[in-house]
Amino acid sequence: MPSSAVPRSAAFSAVVAAALAAGLLAGSAASAASTAEVRIHDIQGSTRISPLMGQQVTDVSGIVTGVRTYGSRGFWFQDPQADGDAATSEGVFVFTSSVPTVAVGDAVKVSGLVGEYIPGGTSSGNQSITQISKPTITVVSSGNALPAPVTISAKSVPYAYAPEGDPAAANSINALPLKPRWYALDLYESLEGSNVRIGSSRIVGATDPYSELWVTVKPHENDNRRGGTVYGSYTSQNTGRLQIQQLAPIAQQPFPKANVGDYLAGTTEGPLDFNQFGGYTLVARTLGTVTDRGRALEPEKTRAQRRDELAVATYNVENLDPSDPQAKFDALAGAVVNNLASPDIIALEEIQDDTGAKNTGTVAAGETLKKFTAAITAAGGPAYEWRTVDPENNKDGGEPGGNIRQVFLFNPERVSFTDRPGGDATTATAVVRERGEAALTLSPGRIDPANAAWENSRKPLAGEFTFRGRTVFLIANHFGSKGGDENLTAHHQPPNRSSEVKRLQQAQSVNAFVKDILKADRRADVVVLGDINDFEFSETTMALTDSGALYPAIKTLPRSERYSYVFQGNSQVLDQILTSPAIGPFAYDSVHINAEFADQNSDHDPQVLRFRP
């Protein structure tokens, strides 16, 4: 996978301009580079930006420690004579653009242009990689011993994640002196380009489609019983996480398939890179062996609801449309029946229209839902009925032409749906009081669809159900994604989370609607559920719960079990079910069947709530 879709020349120029503005390029550095021997630690310097950026260097010596023949082609080389300064890396990447002609163990002299390349471009907020480009390379000898690797372990990685950014530099940490004994990000930066190793480490992010996985070198850091590392607050970033790739092309050496809780056993060794999609990455020259140690992770199963319990669930089925293989429909259906115990009501997210991600103008999803409900019945589940509101074409985000939407599935043998006709893509449902109780004007209906908060985003779907004579209101959601947010490893600290603005507005809109229901009937049973795309400790969740209108049910679980998604080795909450004050007691389950596994039917874990209305 290429490091970035952004040309290296553009990213380099942007860093040069920023460094000039910050005074990071001094005239004396140019003189030193041209008249004295320059070594790799001189190029790397003791901050994130090279003091020699934008300058030519000549005959820089080192031993080749890794060669990359795909993606961002080049090689790493390292000075075997360290300077004794923990803040300066002894390795650096040489960008060749074409397949390098050097080999691991070659002693080389490199002349070229020192630069800073930002994977993903300046808008990504990512840190830069110090590199030498436009190189002239001389191989002095071959077959040399490699510089001894630096071991990254629980003992060497600091507890604190990153320094606070400089307010005068928009909270950037680029110009701050590295303190590798104080901060994890500073330690990793001080090893950028260097030959590093890890010992046997637990896998906390399963193998993904790009042949990457995540490990932790800190086995007890926010760990959970299934082997993951839980992201429980903005300040528990989990400093021991590292992404693992391999140097060898996949065609030459298949990458191992691993689940969360497995181990990467033995020694993994290679250069430390910085990747657009995961930050600091050990690019393995030598890759350990994946083992489950006899304790293979199994998908969870929740218990069935009792006769007087209403079971509601939320499940993001990841862009489901009729063109998907029948195997995907069958796997998702099997999970509904066997892992979720056939809930009475399921709020589905990411149901696409009948032509999928083809921009045909089709918005109906009847064929998608027929195929899915038939698969559930074939798997031994109930004959679910469904209710939804078709969106306007290409107005709700997601894949162009796919027209994803939320859908209610319900088992008519257990619950009934109160149909109040007239709901469409642009008409808002409202709350009225009928015979002393709350009721919707449209069911199914959309909440506040004209609100700018829902522009290019999925509008909430509200429905009115009856279970054992009691009315229950459900609001199915799929809030705006985290696209555009900076990675935890960003050069801004704390990272910019720009996507939160829209989700906060969306949460306020839903909260206001719930308050309308509770104003009409303070004892109303209201369930807000779906892919909230935000954490249980986020401002989004706080806005949903404003004035006690709702409670995030996932908070009833132990902290180590609060997650529905795994991102960059962090097990975290995105999917939620929230309840109004009248609901309780209840049983809640985050059913882990997807996010921790290399083989997934969806990238989200479904959530189930059981209660007696």
Side-chain angles (χ1 to χ4, degrees), residues 555-575:
K555 284 191 173 183
T556 62
L557 298 179
R559 289 182 182 273
S560 63
E561 296 180 25
R562 298 177 192 174
Y563 61 97
S564 68
Y565 195 83
V566 179
F567 182 68
Q568 296 182 352
N570 274 333
S571 297
Q572 58 195 40
V573 170
L574 291 185
D575 308 83

Side-chain angles (χ1 to χ4, degrees), residues 106-191:
D106 284 352
V108 297
K109 289 184 179 291
V110 177
S111 302
L113 178 67
V114 176
E116 295 285 343
Y117 167 62
I118 306 176
T122 54
S123 63
S124 70
N126 281 331
Q127 296 185 53
S128 60
I129 301 169
T130 302
Q131 66 174 22
I132 300 174
S133 63
K134 301 179 181 178
T136 301
I137 304 157
T138 302
V139 177
V140 178
S141 61
S142 299
N144 297 281
L146 302 188
V150 176
T151 298
I152 299 175
S153 68
K155 292 183 179 180
S156 67
V157 179
Y159 172 79
Y161 190 68
E164 285 288 323
D166 180 1
N171 291 328
S172 176
I173 58 176
N174 274 344
L176 300 180
L178 296 178
K179 296 181 178 180
R181 293 186 179 89
W182 291 22
Y183 303 108
L185 289 193
D186 283 8
L187 171 70
Y188 296 135
E189 179 62 21
S190 75
L191 297 173

Side-chain angles (χ1 to χ4, degrees), residues 377-414:
T377 303
Y384 282 109
E385 296 182 11
W386 70 80
R387 296 292 189 274
T388 189
V389 173
D390 293 334
E392 291 184 279
N393 189 42
N394 288 330
K395 291 293 183 69
D396 280 16
E399 291 184 326
N403 292 310
I404 54 175
R405 84 289 311 275
Q406 297 88 269
V407 175
F408 292 124
L409 298 187
F410 64 96
N411 179 0
E413 298 298 317
R414 293 268 298 165

Side-chain angles (χ1 to χ4, degrees), residues 279-485:
Y280 293 103
T281 303
L282 198 167
V283 187
R285 186 180 59 251
T286 302
L287 187 65
T289 302
V290 172
T291 174
D292 62 18
R293 295 189 173 182
R295 298 188 296 271
L297 194 69
E298 295 292 336
E300 290 185 332
K301 294 182 179 181
T302 196
R303 72 165 174 84
Q305 64 272 32
R306 300 183 177 93
R307 187 173 61 87
D308 61 346
E309 286 182 317
L310 178 66
V312 299
T314 175
Y315 197 1
N316 183 318
V317 293
E318 197 175 6
N319 293 318
L320 189 66
D321 77 82
S323 68
D324 285 322
Q326 184 64 42
K328 178 175 180 178
F329 281 89
D330 292 343
L332 289 167
V336 168
V337 176
N338 300 314
N339 300 92
L340 305 187
S342 301
D344 300 311
I345 307 171
I346 309 173
L348 300 174
E349 298 86 49
E350 294 198 16
I351 289 289
Q352 290 196 339
D353 66 37
D354 292 337
T355 60
K358 298 176 182 177
N359 202 3
T360 62
T362 300
V363 294
E367 295 305 313
T368 307
L369 291 164
K370 285 178 186 177
K371 191 171 182 179
F372 187 34
T373 53
I376 293 173
T377 303
Y384 282 109
E385 296 182 11
W386 70 80
R387 296 292 189 274
T388 189
V389 173
D390 293 334
E392 291 184 279
N393 189 42
N394 288 330
K395 291 293 183 69
D396 280 16
E399 291 184 326
N403 292 310
I404 54 175
R405 84 289 311 275
Q406 297 88 269
V407 175
F408 292 124
L409 298 187
F410 64 96
N411 179 0
E413 298 298 317
R414 293 268 298 165
V415 298
S416 61
F417 189 88
T418 303
D419 286 294
R420 300 183 190 277
D424 60 30
T426 59
T427 304
T429 188
V431 180
V432 294
R433 186 173 173 85
E434 292 184 353
R435 295 184 292 276
E437 296 184 347
L440 301 180
T441 58
L442 305 171
S443 175
R446 300 183 115 191
I447 295 174
D448 202 14
N451 189 325
W454 305 110
E455 183 177 356
N456 199 37
S457 189
R458 283 69 54 188
K459 288 70 176 171
L461 178 70
E464 192 174 324
F465 295 84
T466 302
F467 176 73
R468 296 171 66 89
R470 173 78 173 173
T471 298
V472 180
F473 299 95
L474 265 69
I475 301 171
N477 303 275
H478 187 184
F479 283 9
S481 79
K482 290 184 175 292
D485 285 2

Side-chain angles (χ1 to χ4, degrees), residues 225-264:
R225 62 184 175 84
R226 291 176 61 83
T229 299
V230 177
Y231 182 63
S233 74
Y234 289 124
T235 57
S236 62
Q237 301 97 328
N238 295 313
T239 60
R241 293 174 303 112
L242 271 179
Q243 185 171 233
I244 307 295
Q245 296 177 334
Q246 68 180 21
L247 273 173
I250 303 304
Q252 296 179 15
Q253 179 178 318
F255 194 77
K257 183 182 291 186
N259 298 327
V260 169
D262 290 345
Y263 277 79
L264 189 61

Side-chain angles (χ1 to χ4, degrees), residues 506-548:
Q506 293 174 341
Q508 291 167 341
S509 172
V510 172
N511 175 266
F513 189 83
V514 172
K515 287 175 179 175
D516 286 344
I517 296 176
L518 298 179
K519 183 177 180 180
D521 180 3
R522 64 183 180 86
R523 296 289 300 166
D525 291 333
V526 185
V527 179
V528 171
L529 71 174
D531 180 357
I532 302 301
N533 260 323
D534 224 334
F535 315 120
E536 77 278 21
F537 51 82
S538 66
E539 289 191 20
T540 300
T541 301
M542 291 174 62
L544 278 170
T545 62
D546 181 65
S547 300

